[in-house]
Amino acid sequence: MTTRFSFGPWNIHEGADPFGAPVRLSYAFQEKLAAYRELGFEGVQLHDDDIVPDIEAKTYAETMKRAADVRGMLEAHGLVTEIVAPRLWDSAGTIDGGFTSNDARERAAAIERSKRTIDIAREMGTDRLVLWLAREGTYIREAKNPVDAVHRIVEAIDQLLAYDKHIRILIEPKPNEPMDQAYIPTIGHALSLAWHTSDSDRVGGLIESAHCILAGLDPSDEMGYALALGKLWSVHLNDQNGLKYDQDKSFASDNLRRAFNQVRVLVDNGYGKNGEFVGLDVKAMRTQPRELSFKHLANSKKMYELLEDKVRTYDRAKERRFIEARDYEGLDEYVLSHLLGR
Ligand code: 3MF
Ligand code: MG
């Protein structure tokens, strides 16, 4: 089985951060698409407004026409859409969160926007809608009712499941940023919520490495949890140096062993056999010159492939002997030596 990789066009970016303006000129959407195959990627992760810019000002017909055009552009480059996600957090209409807003009109707007995203996903040829519940949380606890919030997220998902009988919903949990606290911080929260929806077979998860680390958890165990339940439908591999702002560092760049364990749990459990992509969600450093601002993607993919090789050559009989003897010091040393090529 060959691994299929994906990333989103926002991963090729201009280097802006909350404290500084862009430092690189933009690449046009078409130029970004042209880079995918060169970098060895075939899947494209998309927000609704990556496909249809200025989506809230467009009519339904304009939206669908643009989606059909973009699908054609992808096909011309030999690319497929992996997932589509509504960019709810960027809308002036959902400042206080979409599905959990205290304002009923904002909740309705969030659901309507997500239904439009489903129409776009269908047009793009994917049945996978990602919900990163970015602003579904609070800056201060007293601002919202946490019980109502959970019910509201379930009700919103139910409406989306009813709207399209084929759509599958992938919840991408993240514990904080932009909010102080999110209501669905981990995959455990996401999946228990999935089982409260009207068609839980169509609700699963997307796990991002950095989001697990921000929650103080190990990404490979989080992936293992979702894999055990048949619910790991996509991943956003990257890396993160501890508890600070969301860094989206290149995969494996902070902690090689943690990356090895993610590849190990994915490979060992046949991740990809049902068409799942190995997705990346990585940022180039702000210091990177424009013409070198694709390297983080190539490097992350390369690290994944090198670690796939490390998983293949990992001596399972040796591992078993260490485990049987309960010699975890020996196992620890073996793993490190193996990663160092000794
Ligand atoms: C934020 C993220 C998001 C999601 C994307 C697709 C902008 O931390 O990870 O990236 O991955 O919106 O769901
Ligand atoms: Mg992500």
Side-chain angles (χ1 to χ4, degrees), residues 186-208:
T186 71
I187 197 67
H189 292 80
L191 297 184
S192 70
L193 186 127
W195 273 291
H196 281 276
T197 63
S198 55
D199 189 358
S200 62
D201 285 352
R202 290 194 285 136
V203 186
L206 180 162
I207 293 183
E208 173 161 329

Side-chain angles (χ1 to χ4, degrees), residues 10 45 132 172 206-208 211 236 238 246 248 280-281:
W10 65 89
Q45 309 162 18
W132 169 41
E172 180 180 350
L206 180 162
I207 293 183
E208 173 161 329
H211 297 179
H236 279 177
N238 57 19
D246 184 8
D248 295 341
L280 301 176
D281 197 356

Side-chain angles (χ1 to χ4, degrees), residues 131-238:
L131 294 180
W132 169 41
L133 301 167
R135 295 192 193 276
E136 313 303 352
T138 52
Y139 301 114
I140 55 166
R141 298 303 80 69
E142 300 84 356
K144 289 182 188 171
N145 179 319
V147 174
D148 288 349
V150 173
H151 288 307
R152 283 171 176 166
I153 297 170
V154 171
E155 280 161 26
I157 290 177
D158 281 348
Q159 285 203 43
L160 302 181
L161 292 168
Y163 180 70
D164 183 316
K165 292 288 171 213
H166 300 290
I167 200 72
R168 297 204 286 160
I169 293 176
L170 287 65
I171 300 173
E172 180 180 350
K174 182 177 181 183
N176 61 283
E177 198 205 37
M179 307 313 289
D180 178 62
Q181 293 283 344
Y183 286 126
I184 308 298
T186 71
I187 197 67
H189 292 80
L191 297 184
S192 70
L193 186 127
W195 273 291
H196 281 276
T197 63
S198 55
D199 189 358
S200 62
D201 285 352
R202 290 194 285 136
V203 186
L206 180 162
I207 293 183
E208 173 161 329
S209 323
H211 297 179
C212 302
I213 298 161
L214 286 169
L217 299 169
D218 185 88
S220 65
D221 277 356
E222 291 290 274
M223 289 172 189
Y225 184 87
L227 285 163
L229 302 174
K231 292 288 196 186
L232 189 62
W233 297 349
S234 188
V235 292
H236 279 177
L237 300 183
N238 57 19

Side-chain angles (χ1 to χ4, degrees), residues 9-24:
W10 65 89
N11 287 164
I12 301 168
H13 60 95
E14 298 80 21
D17 68 18
F19 302 97
V23 290
R24 297 183 282 262

